[in-house]
Amino acid sequence: MTDTASTGVQQSFQFKSANISLTALELYYFDNDEFETNLREKINQAPGFFKDIPLIISLERYEGLDSELDFFKIIGTCRRHNIQVIGVRGGNEDQRRLARGASLALLPGSSQREKPQEPEAAAEPESEPQTGQPGGPAPARIISNPVRSGQQIHAPEGDVIVLGPVQAGAEILAAGNIHVYGPLRGRALAGIHGGESARIFCQSLEAELVSIAGHYKISEDLQDNGWKNAVQIQLRDDLLVVTPLDKA
């Protein structure tokens, strides 16, 4: 076999780590008409958020174990609303066989999920050096500069601390907590690996979207509760609760 590196032949591609924020649709049961009605209602709440997003169907709490799940209907309904179903998470062997037949990627359930890889460095705000004790809690990732529109800060372990504003169109993802010492105008997703105890803290809540362990609220849901005030956001009984910091 000829070694292309030794012969100087350029390869047409290479594989790189790409940690991407994905939305999961946690399916409890499936009725085609009801599914489309519910999907339309969700999209109407935040049309810009759902347009052209890649979607994972999570079957970890699916109750229709005795019925064959029609992934082609799910895919067709989602595509009519400009949502692209790309894979299935969890499920039994029969469900995963049907998903494979629909050309969907198969992802392990949360109990089987592997530790994600650290994404490659991209053009983003300066990050302070991280220190921590071996075997101890993951260190926080500290961002000294403003997080600008189009930038993403990802901490697959530990917290993210931003010492300035997070602009609209920016995104913060953390396995732990998110602290923003300035206005939070973009998206903040804490507890991205299912950590329900994670919290979001900010000096001024102006977010496009906040999420903890997959439970989210969009700006329209937030404007009646703590909007443009210093708040903390936490998960209680599967609901996001916003509390002013001076009353926390």
Side-chain angles (χ1 to χ4, degrees):
M1 180 179 294
T2 303
D3 186 348
T4 56
S6 63
T7 60
V9 177
Q10 184 176 2
Q11 294 185 354
S12 62
F13 67 89
Q14 60 179 324
F15 288 106
K16 288 190 174 183
S17 172
N19 282 304
I20 302 172
S21 173
L22 293 175
T23 299
L25 186 154
E26 191 172 61
L27 192 65
Y28 306 133
Y29 63 92
F30 180 70
D31 173 85
N32 191 49
D33 293 336
E34 187 175 353
F35 179 84
E36 182 155 17
T37 298
N38 295 156
L39 184 63
R40 189 181 297 113
E41 291 171 351
K42 291 292 185 182
I43 293 171
N44 288 339
Q45 294 175 8
F49 174 71
F50 288 101
K51 183 175 174 57
D52 295 325
I53 64 168
L55 190 72
I56 297 295
I57 303 297
S58 173
L59 300 178
E60 295 172 295
R61 297 177 65 181
Y62 183 69
E63 296 178 353
L65 299 178
D66 297 329
S67 61
E68 286 200 348
L69 190 53
D70 194 332
F71 288 106
F72 289 102
K73 287 185 177 180
I74 294 177
I75 293 169
T77 299
C78 289
R79 284 182 177 173
R80 285 197 296 274
H81 295 279
N82 298 313
I83 294 174
Q84 308 302 319
V85 180
I86 64 172
V88 167
R89 184 174 71 191
N92 59 33
E93 287 301 318
D94 287 340
Q95 291 162 351
R96 293 172 75 82
R97 173 181 54 80
L98 293 170
R100 189 183 297 110
S103 299
L104 296 176
L106 302 180
L107 286 75
S110 57
S111 61
Q112 304 167 317
R113 211 166 301 156
E114 296 180 356
K115 181 180 175 181
Q117 296 178 345
E118 181 73 26
E120 292 200 2
E124 60 180 43
E126 178 185 352
S127 180
E128 296 285 349
Q130 302 179 14
T131 58
Q133 297 296 325
R141 183 173 183 185
I142 302 174
I143 307 299
S144 300
N145 298 335
V147 184
R148 304 195 182 280
S149 179
Q151 294 178 323
Q152 182 190 84
I153 305 299
H154 183 217
E157 298 181 3
D159 299 353
V160 169
I161 300 172
V162 182
L163 304 179
V166 177
Q167 303 292 6
E171 188 171 62
I172 310 294
L173 300 97
N177 306 307
I178 295 175
H179 305 255
V180 180
Y181 291 96
L184 170 57
R185 300 189 178 103
R187 301 177 182 178
L189 295 85
I192 57 174
H193 302 317
E196 297 185 351
S197 63
R199 300 190 185 192
I200 299 170
F201 304 85
C202 65
Q203 291 299 309
S204 180
L205 178 62
E206 305 170 38
E208 298 169 325
L209 177 143
V210 295
S211 170
I212 296 176
H215 301 265
Y216 71 90
K217 284 182 179 289
I218 58 175
S219 60
E220 288 83 353
D221 301 325
L222 298 168
Q223 291 184 15
D224 294 332
N225 189 7
W227 192 250
K228 293 191 176 181
N229 289 312
V231 301
Q232 70 162 317
I233 303 168
Q234 58 187 308
L235 192 61
R236 294 179 185 168
D237 298 324
D238 290 336
L239 295 174
L240 290 185
V241 178
V242 180
T243 308
L245 281 178
D246 59 358
K247 297 181 181 179

